[in-house]
Amino acid sequence: MVAARRRRRWRLPALLALYGGYLGMGAAVLQALERPAEVRAAQHLLREYWKLLANHSCLQEPALQRLMEGIIQAYKSGITLQGNTTSLGRWDFSGSFFFSISTITTIGYGNLSPSTVAGRIFCIVFALFGIPLNLVLLNEIGQLMLLGVQHCAHRLEEVFHWQNKASFLMKTCALVTGLLLFLLLPPLLFSDKEGWSYDEGFYYSFITLSTIGFGDYVIGMNPDRTYPSWYKNVISLWILFGMAWLALVIKFCINVLESSSDFCQCNKKSMEMAEDLMDGSKNSVTGLQNAEICSDNDTKMKGPVESHSYTAPTEAL
């Protein structure tokens, strides 16, 4: 009891230390990879800036600075220069709809944001009620996906009289189908409509469905391309169902990690029990009690014996 309490007391600090170290490692690697390119881009911008002033002596530096700031601010609002005209369209209905999707799904690309006071207030209220609604919908979609997998596994068991293979086979098929529909095939569409390479499209797919949403790649924002009317609507459905599928995969990974942790703790208890029995510091009754604890934990980890009955989905893929 004392040893278990001591382990529990040190578990949170250990996790916090691991979490902080992991973040520090990621920050160091990203700095090493991205900082040189950032410095080169800044130096290139400065060279072009002074070259423009040198070639056009009539152009004053304050005027050029104001022009550059205006161009940057306009680009943040979705306006780009095209010759003597400007391109609009980020805040049309399709663009506004896609922005609404990225808001309540908490993706938040960052390439577009409301600039008016009324728009910002509405965005706050819209997100306040939209985010819970999105979570409820994602949960329902995930439950339906699990229900379909369990139904197909149940049918396979009835038709082919498979005992343990049906569930594993259907989960594998669901994983492969999800990989194809949500991660492997969409980059081909992005390559055609956006002009991205396959690895750029795959990168955008995962960053979007995981709700990381860096904003370095966003669909439908190239003013030099013409997009079909169905494009953003299809992508919105892809985001919704893809997030539900990826959430199930992440939950499955969490279950695996937790099961591994429980298994390691049970093995540690068994080793401690064996050492105590060998040292003679504890009697056999205590050893049996520890064995029963490990047996109970192992049962909770593995779950009850599968009855192969059709039940409501409560676990991840």
Side-chain angles (χ1 to χ4, degrees):
M1 182 67 69
V2 176
R5 191 174 301 164
R6 187 179 298 127
R7 284 196 300 270
R8 191 180 302 112
R9 186 173 65 239
W10 287 103
R11 184 174 182 179
L12 180 59
L15 287 175
L16 288 175
L18 178 62
Y19 186 77
Y22 188 76
L23 290 178
M25 180 270 295
V29 172
L30 287 174
Q31 182 182 12
L33 294 176
E34 299 296 329
R35 182 65 177 178
E38 181 186 27
V39 172
R40 288 194 299 269
Q43 292 174 348
H44 176 74
L45 179 61
L46 284 176
R47 284 195 301 267
E48 293 297 321
Y49 178 80
W50 292 113
K51 182 179 178 181
L52 181 62
L53 287 176
N55 293 335
H56 301 276
S57 57
C58 60
L59 184 61
Q60 299 297 320
E61 183 178 353
L64 178 60
Q65 187 69 26
R66 287 194 299 270
L67 177 61
M68 292 177 62
E69 291 176 354
I71 292 175
I72 293 173
Q73 187 63 36
Y75 181 79
K76 289 181 178 179
S77 301
I79 303 171
T80 56
L81 288 174
Q82 289 182 320
N84 295 326
T85 62
T86 57
S87 66
L88 300 174
R90 290 194 178 185
W91 283 113
D92 57 6
F93 182 79
S94 61
S96 300
F97 183 82
F98 190 73
F99 173 78
S100 301
I101 289 289
S102 66
T103 299
I104 65 174
T105 54
T106 69
I107 296 174
Y109 290 113
N111 67 309
L112 191 61
S113 59
S115 58
T116 63
V117 176
R120 290 167 181 168
I121 294 176
F122 173 78
C123 186
I124 294 173
V125 177
F126 179 75
L128 185 63
F129 293 96
I131 292 174
L133 176 63
N134 176 73
L135 293 176
V136 172
L137 181 59
L138 287 180
N139 182 65
E140 289 298 320
I141 294 175
Q143 293 294 323
L144 285 176
M145 288 180 176
L146 284 176
L147 192 64
V149 171
Q150 290 188 353
H151 179 73
C152 293
H154 180 67
R155 295 297 300 171
L156 285 177
E157 290 177 357
E158 290 182 344
V159 174
F160 297 100
H161 303 289
W162 291 342
Q163 297 298 321
N164 298 321
K165 295 181 180 179
S167 178
F168 175 77
L169 178 62
M170 289 311 305
K171 289 179 180 180
T172 304
C173 290
L175 179 63
V176 173
T177 303
L179 283 173
L180 288 174
L181 291 179
F182 302 121
L183 288 179
L184 299 180
L185 292 181
L188 300 177
L189 177 63
F190 300 142
S191 298
D192 178 58
K193 300 302 179 183
E194 304 290 343
W196 299 340
S197 61
Y198 184 86
D199 61 306
E200 290 173 330
F202 183 83
Y203 166 79
Y204 167 78
S205 299
F206 182 80
I207 293 300
T208 295
L209 297 184
S210 60
T211 71
I212 297 174
F214 288 127
D216 48 353
Y217 290 92
V218 184
I219 59 104
M221 296 299 173
N222 191 343
D224 298 326
R225 288 182 173 268
T226 302
Y227 300 99
S229 58
W230 53 265
Y231 182 52
K232 287 187 177 181
N233 296 329
V234 171
I235 296 302
S236 298
L237 291 175
W238 166 75
I239 290 176
L240 191 62
F241 285 90
M243 285 179 60
W245 171 80
L246 189 59
L248 293 177
V249 175
I250 293 175
K251 185 177 179 181
F252 172 75
C253 295
I254 292 174
N255 291 339
V256 171
L257 292 175
E258 290 180 344
S259 300
S260 301
S261 176
D262 293 338
F263 180 75
C264 293
Q265 290 181 3
C266 183
N267 284 343
K268 188 175 182 180
K269 290 180 180 179
S270 299
M271 293 178 62
E272 291 177 353
M273 177 193 69
E275 292 175 357
D276 292 337
L277 289 176
M278 291 178 64
D279 294 338
S281 60
K282 292 186 179 180
N283 55 29
S284 59
V285 176
T286 305
L288 290 175
Q289 290 176 350
N290 289 335
E292 290 177 356
I293 293 174
C294 281
S295 178
D296 292 340
N297 289 336
D298 187 61
T299 303
K300 292 179 181 178
M301 179 181 67
K302 295 182 179 180
V305 179
E306 296 184 358
S307 59
H308 305 287
S309 60
Y310 186 59
T311 57
T314 55
E315 298 180 355
L317 293 176

